[in-house]
Amino acid sequence: MSDPKKLFVKTYGCQMNVYDSERMVEALGTKGYVTTDVIEDADMVLLNTCHIREKASEKLYSDLGRLRKLKLARPDLKVGVAGCVAQAEGAEILRRAPVVDLVVGPQSYHRLPEMVEAKGRVIDTEFPAEDKFDHLPERRAMRGPTAFLTVQEGCDKFCAFCVVPYTRGAEVSRPADRLMVEARDLVARGVRDITLLGQNVNAYHGAGAGGDWTLARLIREMAEIEGLARIRYTTSHPNDMDDDLIAAHGDVPALMPYLHLPVQSGSDRILKAMNRKHTAAAYLRLIERIRTARPDILFSSDFIVGFPGETDGDFRATLDLIREVRFGAAYSFKYSARPGTPAAEKAPVETAVADARLQEVQALVTAQQRAAQDAMVGREVTVLYEKAGRLAGQMVGKSDHLHAVHVTDPTGRIGELVRVRVTSAVTNSLAAVPVGR
Ligand code: SAH
Ligand code: SF4
Ligand code: F3S
């Protein structure tokens, strides 16, 4: 048999892309590819791209510039571009970057195995009717204790700034019975913690036993799978948090007490201009309701500063909302005008003003993040060991509240759930020791 071909994959963007990259690696495995971390050794380089902000898409072109040099030395090297930039600018990529052999959009990954064997340059950015995941070949090897599982893709919300409805298409949910099979299969392969993924995951509704299942129903059924200890889901839209999903946070122990619930702004005027279809007060009420169901839950969120028309008063309203919620973590971004979105037509906020706002919002959320971590010191928490730490005798994993935890535990094993006591908080993680070991 000939040597396996080596595949180097670089993933940008959201967890959906991380999941897709894993599935593409499995699919290319059927064509004899094995992954490598050394780009110079690769027979094929696959860039799984993100289009969400200008900076994200620019990275593709700078990486392609470097690959051009690599390909001069290795003319057989195959270069593939996947993901959201492929979807948005596929034809332009082929025009601008002769180094690229293959362009594949997020809905066409099941065609990758045949595309890599095609002669000449190929592109597929269709939105086919079939479920790409049903047509992707799988490898059923044992794997690490955490996994993503895409349950829903696409978005019908059309926030005025966002490319996702264009790059990922309309909302589609995968059938619930199929997801139950996949979840059981993941657990059989060693997974104990599953994060259900979707661009609008809480809008999920898919065919399962007895009819249409909501996300809450799917979570309740998955929580019954023997050996599955933890369930999370991301990303949610505030308007799709239904009563049963809120209740599930109170009565499904496997559903972890951490929720990413992007709000984007605290100003009703800006929320309206963003087409978010909720007010700041409605968001705060929702937070309270979820906290009533699960008092110790930590929230995280996304914020955009410098959206067109954002005044100083609007920005202050965002800071007020952040102070009111007290987030466990948050991601803030400077508004980036994206071609084809309605907001891109409007006059931008001055760069220096947007930069200053970004710094201010980041300082506030960093302080809240620190406070949430510090509050854990002295407490007992449960950690799922994901890997060995850098220091000898150390294990690393996540707590229920998604804090990264370094545990001094020479006898610890990957995949173990261990009760630990938090001894200190450092910049981005907690230090802990096992309880009663
Ligand atoms: N589906 C998710 C995530 C979308 S993208 C949701 O609805 O929240 C992740 C985050 O990127 C968004 O929440 C938003 O804060 C940010 N984002 C999206 N488009 C952006 C743009 N044009 N400029 C700056 N940030 C943007
Ligand atoms: Fe983008 Fe809004 Fe859809 Fe989230 S809900 S993916 S921000 S359009
Ligand atoms: Fe980026 Fe596409 Fe995800 S634009 S954030 S990779 S859905």
Side-chain angles (χ1 to χ4, degrees):
M1 225 177 95
S2 60
D3 283 348
K5 288 167 281 185
K6 296 214 173 92
L7 171 67
F8 179 93
V9 182
K10 180 166 174 183
T11 307
Y12 318 62
C14 62
Q15 288 136 323
M16 189 83 58
N17 265 10
V18 175
Y19 179 80
D20 286 347
S21 288
E22 285 172 9
R23 300 307 305 273
M24 287 191 278
V25 166
E26 289 183 357
L28 289 172
T30 65
K31 294 290 169 194
Y33 283 93
V34 298
T35 53
T36 174
D37 295 333
V38 184
I39 195 165
E40 289 77 15
D41 288 352
D43 299 289
M44 175 169 178
V45 173
L46 186 62
L47 304 172
N48 194 7
T49 61
C50 174
H51 198 241
I52 201 79
R53 286 167 288 274
E54 199 180 347
K55 267 202 191 125
S57 10
E58 276 171 357
K59 277 190 204 136
L60 167 67
Y61 290 103
S62 58
D63 281 350
L64 288 176
R66 277 194 290 274
L67 281 171
R68 203 169 56 87
K69 296 196 193 97
L70 197 62
K71 197 163 179 162
L72 284 177
R74 308 253 327 253
D76 293 345
L77 178 71
K78 233 182 210 324
V79 175
V81 178
C84 291
V85 186
Q87 187 63 45
E89 309 175 353
E92 197 191 328
I93 294 169
L94 285 183
R95 229 184 356 259
R96 263 178 75 175
V99 67
V100 174
D101 301 291
L102 173 167
V103 171
V104 59
Q107 304 310 328
S108 308
Y109 295 153
H110 51 298
R111 288 207 45 226
L112 249 188
E114 40 182 296
M115 289 175 81
V116 287
E117 295 194 329
K119 298 252 178 303
R121 307 171 85 200
V122 279
I123 175 165
D124 189 338
T125 52
E126 296 293 302
F127 283 100
E130 74 264 25
D131 182 340
K132 68 182 176 200
F133 296 120
D134 282 348
H135 297 266
L136 272 173
E138 287 176 59
R139 246 186 351 202
R140 302 196 62 260
M142 285 303 280
R143 43 171 302 157
T146 65
F148 291 133
L149 177 55
T150 293
V151 305
Q152 177 279 333
E153 276 199 90
C155 181
D156 297 340
K157 295 281 194 285
F158 290 93
C159 299
F161 49 81
C162 183
V163 294
V164 170
Y166 312 98
T167 61
R168 293 278 172 164
E171 253 177 58
V172 180
S173 293
R174 305 185 57 217
D177 43 15
R178 169 89 209 160
L179 293 168
M180 289 302 292
V181 170
E182 283 180 28
R184 283 196 193 93
D185 177 62
L186 286 169
V187 173
R189 291 157 63 195
V191 170
R192 308 199 69 187
D193 175 329
I194 293 183
T195 300
L196 306 176
L197 293 183
Q199 265 94 22
N200 237 302
V201 70
N202 58 343
Y204 176 86
H205 57 91
D212 222 29
W213 290 14
T214 59
L215 184 68
R217 174 81 189 272
L218 186 65
I219 288 168
R220 288 179 188 286
E221 302 279 345
M222 278 190 188
E224 300 298 319
I225 298 175
E226 179 89 33
L228 181 59
R230 291 172 156 187
I231 301 171
R232 308 177 191 276
Y233 59 95
T234 198
T235 297
S236 298
H237 191 287
N239 290 358
D240 291 315
M241 288 301 299
D242 66 34
D243 293 347
D244 194 25
L245 187 55
I246 295 173
H249 279 280
D251 60 36
V252 179
L255 185 55
M256 291 291 102
Y258 179 98
L259 180 60
H260 184 60
L261 196 58
V263 61
Q264 315 298 352
S265 168
S267 153
D268 288 346
R269 219 174 56 80
I270 294 298
L271 286 169
K272 192 159 196 295
M274 286 177 163
N275 193 32
R276 289 289 294 183
K277 299 198 171 80
H278 59 77
T279 60
Y283 182 81
L284 292 171
R285 271 197 306 277
L286 177 61
I287 293 281
E288 276 325 300
R289 287 180 62 210
I290 304 168
R291 275 197 174 131
T292 303
R294 180 79 203 235
D296 70 334
I297 195 165
L298 282 187
F299 290 100
S300 71
S301 188
D302 292 337
F303 296 94
I304 294 177
V305 300
F307 186 79
E310 185 186 68
T311 63
D312 210 45
D314 294 319
F315 176 62
R316 298 284 139 208
T318 298
L319 296 177
D320 287 344
L321 179 139
I322 296 172
R323 284 192 198 99
E324 177 129 7
V325 175
R326 286 169 286 111
F327 289 98
Y331 306 87
S332 42
F333 310 101
K334 190 164 81 167
Y335 169 73
S336 167
R338 305 308 290 129
T341 61
E345 311 289 315
K346 300 201 192 145
V349 166
E350 220 181 297
T351 308
V353 172
D355 284 337
R357 287 178 187 167
L358 186 65
Q359 279 194 6
E360 200 170 340
V361 79
Q362 285 183 344
L364 179 60
V365 298
T366 305
Q368 294 195 340
Q369 210 159 312
R370 276 309 293 251
Q373 279 201 23
D374 290 345
M376 294 290 166
V377 176
R379 281 173 55 179
E380 281 186 18
V381 302
T382 303
V383 177
L384 175 61
Y385 289 164
E386 292 175 24
K387 57 182 183 199
R390 256 180 301 157
L391 304 178
Q394 189 185 55
M395 298 301 292
V396 185
K398 298 274 170 29
S399 70
D400 291 357
H401 290 93
L402 209 58
H403 284 126
V405 189
H406 289 80
V407 186
T408 309
D409 186 357
T411 58
R413 280 174 291 113
I414 291 171
E416 236 183 328
L417 276 160
V418 179
R419 279 301 275 180
V420 304
R421 192 169 45 77
V422 179
T423 51
S424 66
V426 281
T427 315
N428 281 315
S429 69
L430 302 172
V433 292
V435 176
R437 215 180 176 104

